[in-house]
Amino acid sequence: MWLHASCKLDFEIPVATPFILMLRPRSGSQQWVAREQYMLNPGTEAVEFTDQFGNLCQRLVAPAGFFSIQTAFDIEVADSSDVAHGAPFVPVEQLPDSTLPFLLPSRYCESDRFTQMAATLVEGVNPGYDQCAKIVEYIQNSLAYTPGEGQEIISATEVNQKTQAVCRDMAHLGIACCRALSIPARMVVGYLEPLRPMDLHAWFEAYVGGRWYTFDPTQTTLAGGRVAIAYGRDAADVAVYTQFGDPVEILNMEVHVEQISAPTD
């Protein structure tokens, strides 16, 4: 399907402030960017670089006063997310080098603290995709999805003590449990067309059967219409904006996603 997506961030900047932004989708096997706009108001010099996970990032210094970032793009994405029950576990010694960072504990995904719990959760389940699906089932049964409720980023161990969570929290718990089973897992931040209320969204991917598969504990049916903006070990790697120095006030954030017909030029 073709989607038009946009994101607008408005800030009040007290003094000139450095930012790193992560708002541009990249084309790849699961999505293709046909058109893109990226506007800064007031116009500000920005330098783009690619981080260690392949994300497109922009560095800039926002001037004091009102500052706005607006992105928009037309993108082709899959109508549905692939499901592969029975896809096998890949032994660590056979994993691609690029997946290895996603096996290790990270700031918000302390997988070394979930070894026993994860093993108990998947007891009797075929190693690989089916174990990941079982972990998602546990999260859905344990936590109520409450979009917009969680402002503070918390770790998987903290999430596991709660009864409700936002998408980011649920992804952290899923990632930690998968890594505890030696399954590479990474966080994804982006857009989900069916999401209501509309906002930026987080889910996770696990590497089984020789490729990455999508898992989303917030959805009872695994929906398509996903646009990936950033990949990382956890939320610390995938912030759509990071500012340095004294805190700045975000005045407004608007996210829109809609289906469109294919671009004609």
Side-chain angles (χ1 to χ4, degrees):
M1 72 174 69
W2 282 95
L3 300 177
H4 177 77
S6 63
C7 182
K8 187 173 187 289
L9 303 171
D10 296 331
F11 298 92
E12 185 62 38
I13 311 290
V15 296
T17 301
F19 275 77
I20 295 177
L21 308 176
M22 202 178 295
L23 287 164
R24 289 191 60 201
R26 59 179 180 177
S27 294
S29 60
Q30 302 298 311
Q31 58 188 39
W32 185 261
V33 181
R35 295 194 185 111
E36 185 180 8
Q37 291 180 316
Y38 200 121
M39 294 180 290
L40 304 173
N41 181 27
T44 304
E45 181 179 358
V47 176
E48 187 159 87
F49 68 95
T50 303
D51 72 7
Q52 60 182 315
F53 305 114
N55 301 314
L56 300 177
C57 307
Q58 302 77 45
R59 294 180 62 181
L60 58 85
V61 177
F66 176 80
F67 183 65
S68 178
I69 305 159
Q70 187 166 2
T71 67
F73 49 86
D74 295 343
I75 188 167
E76 186 177 22
V77 300
D79 294 352
S80 59
S81 296
D82 291 344
V83 174
H85 295 294
F89 172 82
V90 180
V92 172
E93 64 272 19
Q94 297 176 18
L95 287 169
D97 293 346
S98 60
T99 68
L100 298 181
F102 303 108
L103 277 177
L104 304 175
S106 58
R107 179 176 177 182
Y108 295 113
C109 298
E110 319 97 305
S111 51
D112 51 329
R113 301 183 65 178
F114 284 87
T115 305
Q116 186 58 53
M117 183 186 122
T120 301
L121 281 179
V122 302
E123 187 174 359
V125 177
N126 290 331
Y129 187 97
D130 294 350
Q131 291 179 323
C132 302
K134 190 67 175 178
I135 289 166
V136 169
E137 180 183 318
Y138 164 76
I139 296 170
Q140 292 174 332
N141 290 338
S142 303
L143 297 168
Y145 174 45
T146 53
E149 294 295 323
Q151 300 302 316
E152 181 184 0
I153 302 176
I154 60 176
S155 72
T157 53
E158 295 171 296
V159 175
N160 201 41
Q161 298 169 11
K162 294 185 173 291
T163 58
Q164 61 184 35
V166 297
C167 55
R168 176 192 61 230
D169 302 335
M170 299 171 95
H172 280 159
L173 183 53
I175 290 167
C177 290
C178 286
R179 290 180 189 167
L181 300 172
S182 297
I183 297 174
R186 65 186 182 183
M187 174 167 272
V188 190
V189 165
Y191 303 85
L192 175 60
E193 188 274 332
L195 188 68
R196 300 293 183 273
M198 182 52 66
D199 200 348
L200 290 171
H201 190 55
W203 60 94
F204 75 94
E205 294 181 347
Y207 192 89
V208 292
R211 55 161 285 191
W212 293 101
Y213 284 94
T214 295
F215 295 90
D216 189 343
T218 73
Q219 306 293 304
T220 54
T221 300
L222 191 59
R226 294 175 187 271
V227 178
I229 297 292
Y231 299 89
R233 293 163 297 190
D234 56 32
D237 292 330
V238 295
V240 294
Y241 74 88
T242 302
Q243 58 96 186
F244 301 88
D246 293 336
V248 302
E249 180 182 2
I250 182 166
L251 303 175
N252 184 49
M253 179 175 177
E254 298 176 9
V255 178
H256 298 284
V257 184
E258 61 180 344
Q259 291 192 43
I260 59 172
S261 58
T264 56
D265 54 28

